[in-house]
Amino acid sequence: MHSTNQVLIFVFILTSVVSISLASMYSGLKPIHEKNEALYSKKATLSAIQSHLDAPLSELGDEKVIEVFNTNIKQIVVNMKGQIVDAAAVEASGHKGGRAEDIDMAKEVKKPIEDQILPVYIYNKSDGSKLYILTVRGKGLWDEIWGCIALESDLSTISGVAFDHKAETPGLGAEIKDNKSWVRQFIGKKIYKDGEFKSVKVRKGGAKDAVYEVDGISGATITADGVSEMLQRGLAYYQPYLKTIKS
Amino acid sequence: MAEVKVAEKKSSTIAFGKKERKLLTDPLDSNNPITVQVLGICSALAVTTGMKNALVMAVAVIFVTMLSNGIISVLRNSIPKQVRMIVQLVVIAALVTLVELTLKAVAFDSYKQLSVFIGLIITNCIVMGRLEAFAMNNKPYESILDGIGNGAGYGIILLIVAFFREFFGKGAIFDYKIIGPSAEYLIDTNTSVIFGWYASNNLMVLFPSAMFVIGVLIWVHRAWNPKLVDIS
């Protein structure tokens, strides 16, 4: 049996060693972590327009991803009324850097809806036409889910999507990110019907409408419903902005 | 659960004899953490929807059981008995965090895939169970072997369960599509003459099926190895 003092000394030494080594490792690796995360979010944005890139995203090197992002993509930030927000105002609302890619959507969704700002990425294709990449965020079964939706220049046809999630179950809800053939279903779907905003739905048991619905995922009904809700609500936020481009 | 303290040897050479082999192979069969000791069921339910996830989880758990067993065994004589559980927990959590931070820096893509599992490793009862039952009483070398053995015993069951769930639930193995109702699959049930009647069972994708599969595995294991009946 150890005395109380021995126990205290042992615990003190153990926790000091563990916390100092973990803390120094954390701050030492932080720059690399941040670089990786910035690159990862660029890749996530580009994966929505996968089919328009020169090569599959997995074959593009890290430098090439940054190059495509810097040369072919124009970043703007809009508010809920569809007006463009300048970098200083974005920075003032709490996003260091002020560009669209600097916006932390997790922070933004906590604000009242009318105060939120939205990132828009405009991809200039080599033939001169444009793709609009919009960001949406919602709730899955366990935690947040989010995604990038790329629209063709007609602003209705989806040219690609990419979803991600914080903690959905691997093999079930996580399929919204991992199952490439499920994600591919969104390509060519439309979000407007006769000029009215309609969005795209995920239907359990298989899509019945070829233009506005995609198949559900077995065992992941709640996550799939979350995707439908996220698209319906998230894309509606962009309506004022999309109207200004159309007119 | 019969834990035999491995006799402390006079020589300190690292040998690999019958005893050491037993440390590695026992947890694969007659002392399997899942089918005999019924530990680690929670994560076995969660990550067995696909073989890829199960493999990643198995490798991560082998790594953590091996290192935590080694570290606790080195410290075993200086750990005060009153606080040993907390000390074990600190070591496991520190190791897992270490792995997480390293992965995030050098292999960000695998970090993104693994991040869901990392919490499951800390709470995996096999890790702590082995520290308490083995590493606290045995030398580092034997403890490391025991850690690898138990991690592997867990991993094998995980892969078997994942095979049944992925194949019968999604018609795929390691994400490679075998049988299903579209042209992407090796056998397309829409056009195949022999397998036209086949349909994937959605129940296999859901968690309860893992319970059924593990239950049947325990039965099969005991039928095949009658020594196990009535010992746990």
Side-chain angles (χ1 to χ4, degrees):
Chain A
M1 216 51 175
H2 293 68
S3 75
T4 313
N5 277 346
Q6 278 174 312
V7 173
L8 283 178
I9 292 170
F10 182 86
V11 171
F12 182 75
I13 295 177
L14 180 83
T15 45
S16 309
V17 170
V18 167
S19 52
I20 290 174
S21 55
L22 285 184
S24 54
M25 194 173 167
Y26 178 78
S27 47
L29 292 174
K30 206 174 178 202
I32 310 178
H33 289 168
E34 280 171 356
K35 204 186 105 212
N36 283 342
E37 262 169 27
L39 185 69
Y40 186 81
S41 69
K42 285 191 171 81
K43 277 187 185 164
T45 311
L46 287 184
S47 67
I49 52 166
Q50 179 88 260
S51 50
H52 298 277
L53 298 175
D54 306 338
L57 198 55
S58 51
E59 286 168 26
L60 284 181
D62 293 352
E63 279 99 53
K64 184 79 179 147
V65 168
I66 296 171
E67 191 197 314
V68 170
F69 210 84
N70 288 342
T71 52
N72 295 4
I73 286 186
K74 190 182 157 208
Q75 303 181 25
I76 56 170
V77 180
V78 299
N79 64 15
M80 288 291 168
K81 296 193 191 83
Q83 296 148 337
I84 291 174
V85 182
D86 62 4
V90 175
E91 206 152 337
S93 60
H95 307 285
K96 221 176 131 213
R99 292 166 301 176
E101 62 173 305
D102 298 317
I103 293 183
D104 183 356
M105 286 291 278
K107 252 193 226 168
E108 207 51 41
V109 289
K110 294 202 180 89
K111 294 183 185 171
I113 290 171
E114 60 275 12
D115 293 344
Q116 289 181 19
I117 49 176
L118 306 159
V120 179
Y121 303 89
I122 303 172
Y123 180 79
N124 294 303
K125 283 202 317 195
S126 46
D127 63 5
S129 64
K130 286 180 171 144
L131 294 173
Y132 295 84
I133 307 170
L134 314 176
T135 312
V136 292
R137 204 172 182 95
K139 286 229 176 310
L141 172 61
W142 302 112
D143 214 318
E144 291 183 308
I145 53 175
W146 57 92
C148 294
I149 318 297
L151 297 179
E152 303 274 359
S153 43
D154 70 353
L155 297 178
S156 176
T157 313
I158 293 178
S159 82
V161 295
F163 296 113
D164 204 345
H165 59 92
K166 198 166 175 189
E168 296 308 298
T169 318
L172 300 173
E175 294 284 285
I176 61 169
K177 178 188 176 200
D178 302 332
N179 190 339
K180 300 294 172 226
S181 52
W182 184 77
V183 171
R184 267 201 301 276
Q185 288 185 88
F186 282 89
I187 298 174
K189 300 283 185 269
K190 289 183 194 302
I191 61 167
Y192 283 98
K193 188 175 193 180
D194 307 326
E196 287 293 309
F197 174 64
K198 187 175 162 76
S199 182
V200 178
K201 279 211 160 41
V202 183
R203 183 183 279 275
K204 187 181 178 180
K208 295 210 173 97
D209 189 323
V211 185
Y212 301 99
E213 282 177 2
V214 296
D215 300 340
I217 303 169
S218 320
T221 309
I222 297 176
T223 311
D225 287 349
V227 170
S228 299
E229 188 275 336
M230 168 172 84
L231 289 173
Q232 174 79 42
R233 187 174 42 81
L235 290 174
Y237 290 162
Y238 279 98
Q239 293 316 307
Y241 169 69
L242 294 179
K243 274 187 195 118
T244 62
I245 316 176
K246 272 189 208 161
S247 55
Chain B
M1 215 201 305
E3 291 302 337
V4 185
K5 189 179 172 192
V6 176
E8 302 252 344
K9 280 178 288 181
K10 287 262 156 49
S11 64
S12 60
T13 49
I14 289 176
F16 193 80
K18 209 176 169 189
K19 227 175 262 163
E20 282 77 14
R21 197 166 62 232
K22 218 167 132 50
L23 284 176
L24 276 182
T25 53
D26 247 18
L28 299 185
D29 176 19
S30 57
N31 204 4
N32 190 289
I34 294 185
T35 58
V36 180
Q37 302 178 21
V38 201
L39 291 174
I41 296 294
C42 25
S43 55
L45 299 182
V47 301
T48 48
T49 49
M51 290 194 79
K52 212 171 102 192
N53 290 337
L55 186 68
V56 167
M57 184 69 180
V59 172
V61 168
I62 290 175
F63 181 81
V64 173
T65 48
M66 178 179 83
L67 284 184
S68 61
N69 259 13
I71 291 172
I72 289 293
S73 175
V74 168
L75 295 174
R76 72 187 187 284
N77 292 325
S78 53
I79 296 178
K81 291 280 172 285
Q82 300 96 312
V83 291
R84 61 181 200 287
M85 297 292 242
I86 301 289
V87 171
Q88 291 161 4
L89 202 64
V90 168
V91 169
I92 298 169
L95 272 176
V96 171
T97 316
L98 195 95
V99 174
E100 187 182 5
L101 288 175
T102 316
L103 272 180
K104 200 175 172 187
V106 297
F108 197 78
D109 287 340
S110 354
Y111 161 76
K112 274 283 167 188
Q113 280 185 335
L114 271 173
S115 57
V116 194
F117 302 97
I118 286 172
L120 285 174
I121 299 174
I122 300 182
T123 54
N124 194 322
C125 23
I126 294 170
V127 182
M128 208 154 169
R130 293 324 291 171
L131 296 182
E132 184 68 6
F134 197 90
M136 287 298 286
N137 305 317
N138 289 288
K139 284 170 141 188
Y141 175 58
E142 281 90 19
S143 299
I144 289 175
L145 289 181
D146 179 79
I148 299 175
N150 275 281
Y154 168 79
I156 281 186
I157 301 297
L158 229 58
L159 282 171
I160 295 174
V161 177
F163 168 79
F164 284 108
R165 290 187 66 190
E166 190 178 4
F167 183 72
F168 292 105
K170 295 183 198 159
I173 291 172
F174 278 108
D175 290 344
Y176 183 77
K177 295 180 157 69
I178 308 281
I179 183 163
S182 83
E184 282 178 353
Y185 292 86
L186 196 65
I187 303 170
D188 184 350
T189 50
N190 285 340
T191 55
S192 169
V193 184
I194 312 165
F195 290 102
W197 50 272
Y198 183 87
S200 287
N201 186 346
N202 278 339
L203 178 64
M204 294 304 276
V205 181
L206 302 173
F207 297 128
S209 73
M211 223 48 172
F212 303 148
V213 176
I214 290 175
V216 172
L217 271 182
I218 292 178
W219 175 30
V220 171
H221 191 189
R222 280 169 195 224
W224 174 65
N225 189 348
K227 271 188 301 180
L228 294 175
V229 179
D230 284 344
I231 65 158
S232 62

